[in-house]
Amino acid sequence: MTAVEEKRATEVVEICRFDRLIPGRGVAALLPGGRQVAIFRTVTDDVFALSNVDPFTKAAVLSRGIIGDVKGVPHVASPMLKHRFELATGYSLEDETVAVRTYPVRVTEGVVYIQP
């Protein structure tokens, strides 16, 4: 691992207070370098982060998608073409060859952090 990769592996970005996230909804945030991330809080208070870009339409809309679950696996359905992506892995439920990037998330002392 290079020095740059090691730094990125430990770098975190503060997103917002956990209580600002609405259960069952998503929100978009901007990461360093201009990348958009979609943050989701499930109704069970789990927090996930995915790229906000729908890989099928290239639109930055996943944060506005509908959260659901299939057999206990939480996912978000893109508001564009309704493709569903697992929140934990980013994989498409409709096309197993497609996935969106996921980001490690942690909540510490009521604040949500993302590892870009």
Side-chain angles (χ1 to χ4, degrees):
M1 187 179 290
T2 68
V4 172
E5 290 171 328
E6 285 181 28
K7 183 177 187 250
R8 283 188 186 140
T10 59
E11 180 183 343
V12 294
V13 175
E14 181 177 329
I15 300 298
C16 66
R17 297 222 24 97
F18 175 77
D19 59 9
R20 299 280 308 196
L21 299 175
I22 299 170
R25 304 281 298 271
V27 64
L30 195 59
L31 295 177
R35 289 174 289 153
Q36 288 190 35
V37 64
I39 316 298
F40 299 96
R41 177 178 172 187
T42 66
V43 294
T44 57
D45 288 337
D46 294 312
V47 180
F48 297 94
L50 304 171
S51 168
N52 195 35
V53 178
D54 179 330
F56 294 100
T57 64
K58 307 298 186 226
V61 295
L62 289 183
S63 62
R64 294 182 282 168
I66 298 170
I67 295 177
D69 75 72
V70 174
K71 298 181 182 177
V73 177
H75 68 268
V76 60
S78 174
M80 298 293 286
L81 301 175
K82 309 303 183 248
H83 286 102
R84 297 169 298 161
F85 301 92
E86 287 186 28
L87 292 177
T89 67
Y91 281 100
S92 168
L93 297 177
E94 281 71 41
D95 183 344
E96 61 191 33
T97 66
V98 177
V100 294
R101 180 175 177 180
T102 60
Y103 294 87
V105 179
R106 77 170 192 246
V107 179
T108 304
E109 296 180 6
V111 178
V112 177
Y113 296 91
I114 303 280
Q115 184 179 325

